[in-house]
Structure formats: C-alpha cells, structure tokens
Amino acid sequence: MDSQTSQPSPASPSPHTFQVDLRGLVDLLSHHLYSSPKVYLRELLQNAVDAITARRAEQPDAPATVRLHAEGGALRVEDSGIGLTESDVHSLLATIGRSSKRDDGLESARSDFLGQFGIGLLACFVVAERIRVVSRSARTPDAAPVEWTAADDGSYTVRTLPHSARPEPGTTVHLVARAGAAEWLSPERVRSLARDFGALLPYDVRVGEEPIADLPAPWDRSYPSPATRRVALARHCHDLFGFTPLDSIDLDVPLAGIRGVAYVLPSAVSPAQRASHRVHLKGMLLTERAEQLLPDWAFFVRCVLDTDSLRPTASRESLYEDETLAAVREALGERIRSWLTGLAAGDPERLAAFLSVHHLGVKSLARHDPEMLRTMLPWLPFETTDGRLSLEEFAQRHPVVHFTRTVEEYRQVAPIASAQGVGVVNGGYTYDSELVEALPSVRPGTVVSELDADTVTAHLDGVDPAEELALSAFLAAARARLDPLGCDVVLRAFHPLSVPALHLDDRAARHEQARADAEEQADDLWAGILGSLRGSAPRARLVLNHLNPLIRRISSLDEPDLIGTATESLYGQALLMAQRPLRPADSALLNRAFIGLLEWATHTDPGKDDRR
C-alpha cells in the first residue's frame, strides 16, 4: 500500500455561524440601502398587506383591514392578516434575511406579495429603539397570541399571552421612537407617509379613522365625457407633479400588468435630463424616481403607474433591470409613439401645440427611429425662406429642397434666395440638417441639395456684357483690393434692390481660407506642409448688385483708392449683414474703410475758401 494513503486525513473544520452586529446593520440600512427613514412606514404597510394577502389565499372572506395609530412618539399598526405562532416568530422575525413568503407552500404565490427579501421589520430600527409585535395565527386558531419584543442592540424576548390579549387573528406592531426620530412617528408625518405610500392599496387602510386609499386610481375611474376626464387627470398631475400637463397618455399594458398615465410636460426640457417617474407595485408606492422606466427619447413625459410584474431591488426603492423591465420599457414607448401617431392623423391642432414646445425631443427621436421619422417628419417645423413650415409643405412648393448646414450660411443667402424664388431650409439648428437629408426616405422623389455659393450665384441674373465691359476698370480695382483677403468680386443683378452686396462662401471655401491664413503665419516647415494641402475649392466672393443705386454710383468713380475703400466698406457691410464672425483681418479692414470714408467725406479742396 502506498505510504501516502496510510496517513490519517486531516480533520474537517467545524462550521461556525455568522455573528451579526444589529446596530451596525441598522446603520448600513439607514445610510446606504434606504434613501430616507420614511421607508420604515412602507415596510410596516407592506408587511401588513402581505399578511392579509396570505390569509385571504386560505380564507377568501377574511377581513382586510390595516389601522395606524400615532401618538406621543409611538406608533401602533394593526392588521387582520395571517398572524404568527411562537414557532413562526423564532424562525421568521428573529432571523435576518428570512421571508415568510418562502415557507408553508407559499412560494408559488409569491407574485401576490409586495415584499420578497426578508428584511421586514429591521428597517423600523432606523426610527425606533424598540419594536414590540403581538400576533395571533389564523392558521392555528387555538394557538395563544405571542409577543416578540426586540431592541436595537440585537436582543429580543418572546412570550405567550392570554387569548384576551389578541382575540382575533392578525398582528399589531408597536414602535417607540429613538432619540431624535420622534418627528417620524408624529400623527401628521404618519398620515402624510401613509397617503403617499398606500393611496392605491386595495385594502381598507386607515390612519385613525381616516381612509388613505384613493381608489379607483384616477386613470381607471369613469367620467361623464373625455373632456371631464382630461380635466380630472390634469388636476391629478398638478397635485402629484406640480404642473398642468399639455396632454395625458394612457399607459395600459395588460400582459405586463401595467395601468397608468403619462403626463406631457408643458415646457421644454433638455434631452439629457433624466426623467423621474412614480411606480406603484401592487398598489404600494415603490419609487418616485424611476429613471429607467421609459426609453431615453421620451423625456417630455412624466409617468405614474401601478404594476404587478416588475421586480424591485433589495431596497424596494427602484426597479431591477431585467428582461421584463426591458420589455415594459419598449411597450410603454410604443404607447407614447402611438399617441403621437394618433395626433398626427386626427388632431393636428394638439399636435402643433405639442411640437411648439417639444419639437427638439421629437427631432431627436426621429433621427433614430425610422417609424417615428416617417410619422413626424412631415409635421416638424423648420425655419425656411417661406417662413416656419413643415418639410411636407415646403417640398410641395419647391422642386428642390435646398438647405444650409449653419445658421450663418442661411442668414447670408435667405433674403436673396427668397427674392429669387429659391427655397432654402435653415439646417443649422440641432438635428435639422440630418432630418432634411432624410426627407427623400419619407417622401420618395424629393430632391434635397445642400446650398453652396455656386448655386446661389447661378440663380442671380447676369449683367449685359457691354455694361460689364464698360465697368472692367472698376471691377479690376475692386478685385485687386479684396484679393489679399481671398475673396473674388463678381457683378450680378438681383433683388431686393436695397441689398448692395452679398458675401458668399461655403464650407470648402472657408476651410481653404483657414488653411491659407495658417500657412501665412506658419514657419517655413509648417508653411511647406500646409502649402501641400492647398485645395482647389472656389474662393469666397463678393457679389455686387448692379441694380442697386449705390453700386451704380460707386462703379462710376475713377479714383482707384476711393474705389478700393468703397469696396472694402461693401465687403465689411456684407459680412455684418450675414452675422458672420469676423477674423482679425476683417476687423482691421472695417476700421480702415471707415476711417478712409471719413477722410474722403471731410476732404477740402485747398484752392477754395473755407467757408463757415
């Protein structure tokens, strides 16, 4: 036999039991798991409702009542639920992490319960220094009532009581406030928290004699007319969220056990802002800050709903991200999308009111959602040379939909293009150029083209060749003055007559100008590199309007210096009209032209007397 096999095997280590520091655990709950001490009341209501649910599973006709009594820094919560035996108390109340829903064959019915994590009464130590529970089991009617008393140091006692201490099945929980926490057990605070958490609970829940439930939910009630329902929901939204909505959207997803309503915000919000929604789980408020409930694009609504299918996290203050939540998110997004589609098909006035506030959000959605693009793009408003129109209206008026990519480009050409009958859409705002380019996918056959300087110039009327030849000396002087600025001078005839000159360029021309400016200021090495990148893009151009009286007078000048100064002034004025940012060279030119014009205006012939 192998010598190694003859050696005795080491003894198995003895198992040990975890020791729990209850005070440390309470501190962990209050500072990390729960967002506020107020959750203690939700835990009490939750345990009471679950106890009633368990009893009714066995005794359908059993009473379903919860009573809360707050006075003098103490709180008493009574329920007519399933109750506990002495054995239940030791195995459930005194064992952290154990849930009664796991026992006695109730596992298959756990979907009917609110709480599923077994933390239970432990959360009450956040506000109480002592918890006393008196309970009598409905399953074992002959069993005596049992009392469980626990302190926040982790100790507890259990004793049986005479039957007169609890004649009927159910449970009563007594809390005594810890130092500094009495306000959380005051009658006003208990009433407020009970209403907030339990407004949709299906049982008879009262604080004193005052009912807290408000059933049926506002979205499930019957109303005399649709208008009455809208008014009632608007009032509910104002009470709940503090604003009067533009509209309300029913959120009914039977397969996911969801009923509720989405309220449309009356003012614009940033798409990056995370929306918070109110979610009730089987009637109990789970969270007021559910951020992942809707798709990101639906940031223009705030929701309140009740569900029986979504899973809460361990703190029961948010939703667990799983496949069910993903499916619900998609279904709720479809409801909101259907609402928009319905407005587009049957209520254009309400749609226009909505888009006047939230067009940016819908544009953001349309960029990523092909169906929403097809539905909403014909209705979305855009700034155009024909006024603020939808792309559908604009495309009906113009065979080619021209657009600019920047607001500055649009301002350059809008007055001239409008006078020439050229339709232009301002694509310089967020998402607009992308959506204009997507128009042919929604409206087949539509021609969309980015507007450039050549297109604008081609739509301007030419000048009679003989007249332009007669002005060749003037044009040569003007071109010589603007050539260092990378700008050509051309003569055209266009409307309106009040515009003396138009500055035109496009992105390619601006890139080339920026490269040339950088090359001029660079050292020899970089100048050579930048020079090798020289492009063939057309230069910017100053288009002089031959129909304008001022241009006719300037073109008749015969002094080259005065022609140059006047040309620089026209160039600067055209830049300012286009609201383009000025380069240092442009600013210097404007200043030089202004001073030059003042000198010509104040020039006095020395051969004449200075008469005053």
Side-chain angles (χ1 to χ4, degrees), residues 585-599:
D586 298 329
S587 299
L589 175 143
L590 279 171
N591 183 62
R592 183 172 65 248
F594 177 71
I595 297 299
L597 289 177
L598 284 179
E599 289 178 348

Side-chain angles (χ1 to χ4, degrees), residues 205-289:
V205 183
R206 301 177 182 239
V207 178
E209 296 302 320
E210 181 181 347
I212 66 167
D214 187 20
L215 296 175
W219 51 85
D220 283 331
R221 296 173 190 168
S222 298
Y223 297 95
S225 67
T228 305
R229 185 175 191 272
R230 281 197 297 269
V231 171
L233 289 178
R235 187 182 305 113
H236 175 252
C237 176
H238 189 274
D239 293 341
L240 202 61
F241 294 114
F243 65 85
T244 301
L246 281 178
D247 206 347
S248 57
I249 308 167
D250 285 323
L251 302 178
D252 184 10
V253 187
L255 292 178
I258 285 179
R259 289 283 299 163
V261 63
Y263 293 115
V264 181
L265 291 166
S267 57
V269 294
S270 168
Q273 180 177 331
R274 299 291 295 179
S276 296
H277 311 287
R278 290 176 63 95
V279 177
H280 295 256
L281 180 61
K282 304 179 184 70
M284 180 75 73
L285 178 65
L286 178 70
T287 179
E288 301 172 278
R289 300 185 299 274

